[in-house]
Amino acid sequence: MDGTSSDMWGGTGSSGTEKGAWLADSRFAMFIHWGLYSELGARWQGQTHYGISEWIMNRARIGVAEYERIAEQFNPVDFDAGEWVDLAAAAGMRHMMITSKHHDGFAMFASKVHPYNIATATPFGRDPMAELSAACAERGLRFGFYYSQTLDWHEPDGVGNDWDWPGRERDFQSYLRGKAIPQIEELLTGYGPICGIWFDCPGPITEDESREIVAMVRQHQPDCLVNSRIGNNLGDYDSLGDQEIPRLPRAGLWETPDTHNDTWAYAWYDLNFKSAGEIARRLVRVVSRGGTYLLNVGPDGRGRIPEASAAILREVGVWVHAHEQAIHGAQPSTLPPLAWGECTARGNTLFLHVFDWPTDGRLVVPGLAGRVWSARLDDGTALAYTALGSAAVIDVPRARPDGLIPVVTVQIEGGEIASGAQVVLSGCTNHLEPGLATLTGCAEQKVSWMEKFGDWHHAECVGGWTSASSCAWTFDTVEPGRWYLDIRYSCPADDDYSEWQVTLDGEMVSFPLLDTGEREHRKIGWGALPRFREYRVGVVTVPEAGSHTLAFGPTGEAGAGIRVEALRLSPVS
Ligand code: GLC
């Protein structure tokens, strides 16, 4: 494993299948990381290892014999399957995926194949996976397993443990046949219908090996989905990078795995739980782009989901249950990016998720091809509207309605919904997306980096500049506007002070972009990664409604290493 994101997560490219329709319908699911590492909670011998805590065996180089001893104390007496499943249901989640065996090799189910499991090796002695599968079945949630097929630090022939067996020539086949495949078979045959098996970190697994696992899944449970991290592009759907939310609608069947704080498994110090509003916004961003949001919680060694995390999820659930039509089974909208929020759709019904409520009482819905038939608020209040070019202006109350995200539901006349044009709105913060630009002599680039260990971030950028490059957006405005133009970019030292220009409707202004520094993971030893920051170009003005072109690029040779994530137009007043 060289630590690149493709090594971690495998390629993507699965196109989705019919049997995966339920996944697109579910849209919101609970992911659970729970194992022996939860007992440590990121602390080993008095020292805290910051970052994703299910990696502690690896990070602290804990020998197999010592790590095994954790099992002797692991007694999650507070574990209550019904409580966890009730919480998922209360949050508005429709399925659950849980770690049956993570990279540490410890099975959280009663495995006959290997004694290193919760039922055999701990004082707890129960099979929590059986209890959870029963509780899910009872409450109508689908249930599936995470299984680490390649990394197994407990086994000399599994991949990854180079501290107990440095330089060992591994017989991966012997691990695969002796443990992984038979254990996956136990999961497929002993726990009722499994909605999916969530594989992870394919690393060096060969195509034949991935195929063999998939064939076994098909044999026992033809309806069980396999995610893309099985490796070798053999998944039924794409699990994007950890925390990765694409910026534009994306085709196929896919999900975003995300975690409530900055670690998957429990860490005693990590109280950085995303608020209910933030979770609702992330869920809506994922659904509005066509994906499913798999949100993780990390129960502790006693089997408790941290109370702060649970309380927040219940709050999210109040909103999700009140907006089921806008989430479960909803489709991405065909509208252009909306400066004030996101849109999900069901046929000709649009659900406008208004993140930034317009305090002037005018919600401008741009880029429409059809006429609006009706518009109403969450509480059913009918709203008046007028047409403004290809936009509709909906009269909304100036006071933001209550709730995590106010939703305005709009019915559009039959036929095409969107005109296809990008629209920049006055009085709102607009992002010009790399994915919607016309690129000449430059290209879209995706960059992924970690802040803390395993805490991934992603940026969709434009890079690969030459002196002839340009990146241009054509957009409409429906009213005059004045905005600040900011550029979010990263710049390595070599490109410090390179000169760039922006041209709006033929008017040019130039400016230097300064070095942003790089994030060097010296402690982890994983290369230099970009740092992003913003540069304010200044005020730009569009005196009237119409079509405009904004182009951006270097003025000369320099600046090849600069990555531009987005151009932002935010209101001056
Ligand atoms: C990464 C980590 C792993 C975690 C997973 C969740 O691949 O290696 O610990 O389970 O992401 O998506």
Side-chain angles (χ1 to χ4, degrees), residues 4 17 31 96 207 239 281 315 321 337 353 391 484 529 547:
T4 61
T17 51
F31 204 10
M96 179 181 274
E207 185 167 339
S239 293
R281 286 189 292 273
E315 197 186 335
H321 285 295
H353 301 259
Y484 283 116
L529 296 157
S547 173

Side-chain angles (χ1 to χ4, degrees), residues 8-9 31 33 52 54-55 102-103 146 198 200-201 229 242 264:
M8 296 287 291
W9 305 319
F31 204 10
H33 276 64
I52 52 175
E54 68 282 2
W55 273 70
H102 205 268
H103 309 332
Y146 171 111
W198 212 95
D200 197 13
C201 296
R229 296 194 193 177
D242 296 347
W264 301 92

